[in-house]
Amino acid sequence: MARNIQSLERAAAMLRLLAGGERRLGLSDIASSLGLAKGTAHGILRTLQHEGFVEQDEASGRYQLGAELLRLGTTYLDVHELRARALVWTDDLARSSGESVYLGVLHQHGVLIVHHVFRPDDSRQVLEIGAMQPLHCTALGKVLAAYDPVAHSEAVEADRKAFTDRTVCGIDDFEHILDVTRARGYAADVEETWEGVASVAAPIHDRRRMPVGAVGITGAVERVCSDGELRHDLVAAVRDCARAVSRDLGAGRF
């Protein structure tokens, strides 16, 4: 029979301890409650803090559960509710735009495609649910990096690979793109990730007004763009879809 890993058991016990009782606990309280030496407890807390599972109050030095643990705890519910709420709206977007529609969420330093509606024609297409896209150059990724602080940190710290001659890799230029994305409410990718392909995406928020994903369309440049710019009607359609899904998630008007 396989033996349990002691350090993981201790970390799990520590998280359970912080989840109950007082909101914040000091190092001595944690160590004594779990029967650990202070040095051992401090080492585990430092690791959990580095991963975002635990936060330390600067004034008191006490520890509490971190935001990343909350994110992990709600991810399953959020993704499945997001897909369920988006089904009708993404189908409508595919019909009105004539292009493929993608729904993406932050996952493992990239964008995970959780829903994909085929372009409504007879062309041969491949279902891309479960595929991963980069944060720094795709429209979905730029939306997440612009609105989600965790996605932003991951995009900034990542190796921003150039996929085409148009890919923006420099940090200052990338931050400027995110500023523009927040100002206008959508992100664009015109041949930054794939030659001949353009995308536009907008953010989806939940009832807490937190960004939980992004929705967008992708198609050939000649269809998605006009005179070198994204078609205004397609941008408006994507933003309307994102707002509709956000309202269904309880976000209200944006």
Side-chain angles (χ1 to χ4, degrees):
M1 181 177 178
R3 298 178 60 184
N4 293 338
I5 300 174
Q6 188 180 57
S7 60
L8 293 180
E9 288 183 328
R10 289 173 171 174
M14 198 169 287
L15 293 173
R16 292 191 187 98
L17 179 65
L18 290 170
E22 297 182 30
R23 177 174 170 77
R24 296 189 178 99
L25 292 173
L27 174 60
S28 297
D29 297 326
I30 295 171
S32 61
S33 295
L34 300 178
L36 300 174
K38 282 188 178 181
T40 301
H42 185 254
I44 296 173
L45 284 167
R46 188 170 61 247
T47 301
L48 291 173
Q49 185 178 2
H50 177 74
E51 296 298 328
F53 298 149
V54 165
E55 296 174 356
Q56 186 178 28
D57 180 68
E58 293 184 4
S60 66
R62 290 175 172 264
Y63 295 89
Q64 66 183 28
L65 294 180
E68 182 63 17
L69 193 65
L70 176 62
R71 172 186 287 275
L72 288 178
T74 59
T75 294
Y76 179 87
L77 175 61
D78 285 349
V79 169
H80 285 264
E81 184 179 4
L82 176 61
R83 288 188 70 249
R85 298 289 185 178
L87 290 176
V88 173
W89 299 111
T90 51
D91 282 348
D92 286 347
L93 178 58
R95 281 193 294 270
S96 66
S97 68
E99 301 296 345
S100 300
V101 177
Y102 295 88
L103 190 67
V105 299
L106 177 66
H107 180 68
Q108 293 182 350
H109 312 290
V111 184
L112 174 67
I113 303 302
V114 297
H115 186 54
H116 174 199
V117 183
F118 283 166
R119 184 172 63 255
D121 59 22
D122 296 327
S123 62
R124 190 178 186 88
Q125 301 175 62
V126 177
L127 188 65
E128 295 187 45
I129 293 176
M132 293 291 294
Q133 294 185 2
L135 286 169
H136 70 285
C137 56
T138 62
L140 292 172
K142 283 188 259 185
V143 163
L144 293 176
Y147 288 90
D148 186 330
V150 176
H152 176 264
S153 296
E154 293 182 354
V156 167
E157 295 169 3
D159 178 18
R160 291 177 298 281
K161 174 184 174 183
F163 291 91
T164 74
D165 292 340
R166 293 174 176 261
T167 307
V168 174
C169 300
I171 186 61
D172 291 338
D173 291 337
F174 178 64
E175 290 286 11
H176 174 69
I177 287 174
L178 298 188
D179 288 339
V180 171
T181 297
R182 285 185 286 266
R184 63 189 185 183
Y186 69 90
D189 166 11
V190 181
E191 296 190 282
E192 293 180 46
T193 312
W194 301 280
E195 296 282 357
V197 176
S199 303
V200 57
I204 296 172
H205 297 80
D206 67 4
R207 61 183 62 86
R208 300 161 297 172
R209 295 299 182 96
M210 296 294 291
V212 293
V215 63
I217 61 170
T218 297
V221 171
E222 58 267 25
R223 295 195 308 267
V224 178
C225 297
S226 176
D227 296 325
E229 299 291 336
L230 290 170
R231 285 170 45 193
H232 297 304
D233 60 319
L234 295 183
V235 172
V238 169
R239 296 192 67 193
D240 286 345
C241 178
R243 283 192 287 260
V245 178
S246 297
R247 285 196 299 269
D248 276 4
L249 288 170
R253 295 184 63 85
F254 269 83

